[in-house]
Amino acid sequence: MSDVLAVAEHRQGELRDVSFELVTAGRQIADQQGGELHLAVIGGDAETFATELNLDGVSVIHTVDAGEEFNHDVYTQVTEQLFEELQPGTLLLPNSVNGLDYAPAVASRLDVPLVTDAIGIERDGETEVTREMYGSKVETTIEIDSDAVAVSIRPAEWAAAEAAGDADVQAFDADIDESAVGSTVTGFEEVAGGDVDISEAEFLVSIGRGIEEEDNLPLIEDLVEATDATLSSSRPIVDNGWLPKNRQVGQSGKVVTPDVYLAIGISGAVQHVAGMKGSDTIVAINTDPNAPIMDLADYAIVDDLFDVVPQLIDALE
Amino acid sequence: MKILVTVKEVAEAEDDFEIDGLDIDDRYLEYDLNEWDEYAIEEAVQIKEDGECDVVSVTIGPERAEETIRMALAKGVDRAIRVWDDDIAATDTLDPATKADVLAAVVAEEDPDLVLTGVQAGDDSFGATGVALAETIGFEWGAVVNALDLDADAGVGNVHRELEGGIEELTEIQLPAVLTIQTGINEPRYASLRGIRQAQSKPLDVSTLSDLGLDAEALESPLRRTAMYEPESESDAVVFEGSPEETAVELADLLRDAGVVEG
């Protein structure tokens, strides 16, 4: 029960970063208990992925021939069978969109408790998982009273494992019940296209919920015009239909790395931060000095954007 | 055709708050319908407007939650169920597996063709109840759905799942199914005055665990919250002090120095 089983993630022929982070997290937990880290690569070019994931601290990599792309029914069945075979104490999964699509099903089928979106895990006798609540305003500790646990980890929270290893690569012959596969992935679509590519911009003026109403957009458009900046936004603005999808910065939108990112009325939810933390200089205008965006900001104005932005336009003209 | 929408009243914390024990002090919490569930309700009501179907909402929550449930009724939900009793009230943590078990009992009574849930709740953000429910009741499922085209005759839902990086996965899902709905899938309507009046006379039934054939054992969870705290600020931002006029001038200078504006 001291072993860890982590399941890698890939999409359209490439391993996703979280796969390498799962190795780091998995190694940590295995070390705390003197166990081994097993890694599963399900579907796709599993052999090639296994070579890329043959990293220091991984004992065994199980490759499973199971279709090209992720399918939750297949992943659920394969993960269940690997778990039954290996009997690990910890099942580690990614808290990615696809992780959300099979982790709860696997946990339910195995009758193993699941804690999602972990940002810290301690498995030293007791199992303690650290996770956030109330939109990142607080952190909590969850104790799990069970010998076997399933935990999904937040992407980009652990460092990616890099050092080469000498894991055993073994093919796992999963028995997939096709009659229980009730979903079919028919394709992929890129949705953030269009005339503007915000990831190319040097200066982004980016707006969030703080803008309150669509009627307040012209104020920001004046600023964009005065500065020759490019306009982008956080998710709620796009959800509301105030700006098109190609303006969205974040996990489900674009990743941007401008020279200056001016965040106006953006609190800095983790999904947003994933898309802009690589910016050279981050400036935040926000009424809340404790907003998560302040953890990233190089410069900040703690004030009402409706007071500051008109003054900023004046100061620039 | 019948659609069951699971909804949750969630607490949102004010900017300034205090923690009392294992939760934020109630004085700093505001309760509202979970944002993701608003989109799930709208999706169900739009499907109803396209054809014949019943939309029933279910929530696990105290009497206070009836205010948000009435809003769902005002927006076009036909009937609501609220599950609550003293045992649930006395439970600290309702984990996703527990909620899935309770909701599974409601599904057994209602026999829906489609269950819509929000992707996650805004307060604890577990994002697991919908898919756990699907597995528990033997339905197919799809998580993080941001487009839905229902083909009831063929018995499938054609969905888009919103993946990371501006990519959507196109998936065909057999019914009956549980779909977890992402924000932005539609434009949730405001309740009309007429809708609000009508909501007052729509059925809102309260079920206890025993009504659902469950007992307090169903609430036992291996998960226990043992601490809550404010994370230490990692901020090392230079904060411009002064009036908006003064801070704006400093910011303008910064932008000029960075070379992103002229002058």
Side-chain angles (χ1 to χ4, degrees), chain A residues 9 11-12 16 70 72-73 76 95-106 108-109 113-117 126 128 130-146 155 179-192 202-203 209 226-228 235-236 238-241 245 248 250-254 259-260 262 271 281 283 285-290 294-304 307-308 311-313 315-317, chain B residues 10-17 19 22-24 29 31 35-36 39 93 95-97 100 119-120 122-133 135-136 139-144 146 158-175 182-188 221-256 258-262:
Chain A
E9 177 161 312
R11 189 171 85 201
Q12 295 174 290
R16 299 193 48 81
F70 173 80
H72 63 233
D73 296 304
T76 302
N95 192 59
S96 56
V97 173
N98 282 344
L100 288 170
D101 201 32
Y102 78 103
V106 171
S108 173
R109 206 173 277 197
L114 167 70
V115 176
T116 60
D117 202 20
E126 310 270 284
E128 280 190 348
T130 306
R131 63 194 305 283
E132 296 181 338
M133 258 186 86
Y134 297 117
S136 301
K137 284 196 168 90
V138 298
E139 289 181 4
T140 64
T141 309
I142 307 282
E143 211 174 272
I144 316 175
D145 181 17
S146 172
S179 71
V181 177
S183 66
T184 313
V185 177
T186 57
F188 296 93
E189 200 173 284
E190 193 169 347
V191 289
E202 286 176 5
F203 179 26
R209 242 185 247 274
T227 54
D228 208 15
R235 169 166 204 124
V238 174
D239 278 351
N240 287 343
K245 183 86 186 170
Q248 186 180 327
Q251 198 177 71
S252 59
K254 285 267 168 72
D259 295 342
V260 176
L262 176 55
Q271 293 85 354
T281 300
V283 186
I285 302 175
N286 205 299
T287 48
D288 179 9
N290 299 315
M294 296 299 176
D295 287 349
L296 286 145
D298 301 293
Y299 301 92
I301 296 175
V302 180
D303 214 333
D304 191 334
D307 295 329
V308 177
Q311 294 290 343
L312 180 59
I313 295 169
L316 287 163
E317 276 169 354
Chain B
V10 297
E12 200 173 319
E14 292 172 17
D15 286 346
D16 290 310
F17 61 86
I19 292 169
L22 294 175
D23 210 338
I24 290 179
L29 294 176
Y31 294 87
E35 190 185 349
W36 283 263
Y39 290 87
T93 310
D95 68 36
V119 165
Q120 61 181 32
D123 48 8
D124 61 17
S125 308
F126 256 94
T129 304
V131 174
L133 171 64
E135 171 56 32
T136 306
F139 278 27
E140 225 347 278
W141 71 87
V144 195
N146 72 347
N158 293 296
V159 309
H160 287 208
R161 294 182 54 239
E162 184 192 74
L163 303 181
E164 296 86 354
I167 303 285
E168 293 180 0
E169 179 200 276
L170 282 53
T171 309
E172 207 178 275
I173 295 173
Q174 282 174 14
L175 302 180
Q182 176 64 304
T183 59
I185 186 174
N186 52 40
E187 279 185 49
S221 168
L223 271 50
R224 201 161 58 91
R225 190 189 301 162
T226 53
M228 178 180 283
Y229 50 90
E230 279 188 74
E232 270 175 51
S233 171
E234 290 162 18
S235 177
D236 53 5
V238 174
V239 179
F240 295 143
E241 308 277 355
S243 68
E245 196 177 352
E246 291 160 344
T247 56
V249 167
E250 286 200 70
L251 178 51
D253 288 343
L254 173 81
L255 296 176
R256 286 192 193 97
V260 293
V261 296
E262 306 264 316

Side-chain angles (χ1 to χ4, degrees), chain A residues 6 33 70 83 86 99 110 167 191 199 215 219 228 270:
Chain A
Q33 307 180 98
F70 173 80
F83 189 95
L86 300 168
L110 291 167
V191 289
S199 63
D215 291 347
L219 171 66
D228 208 15
V270 56

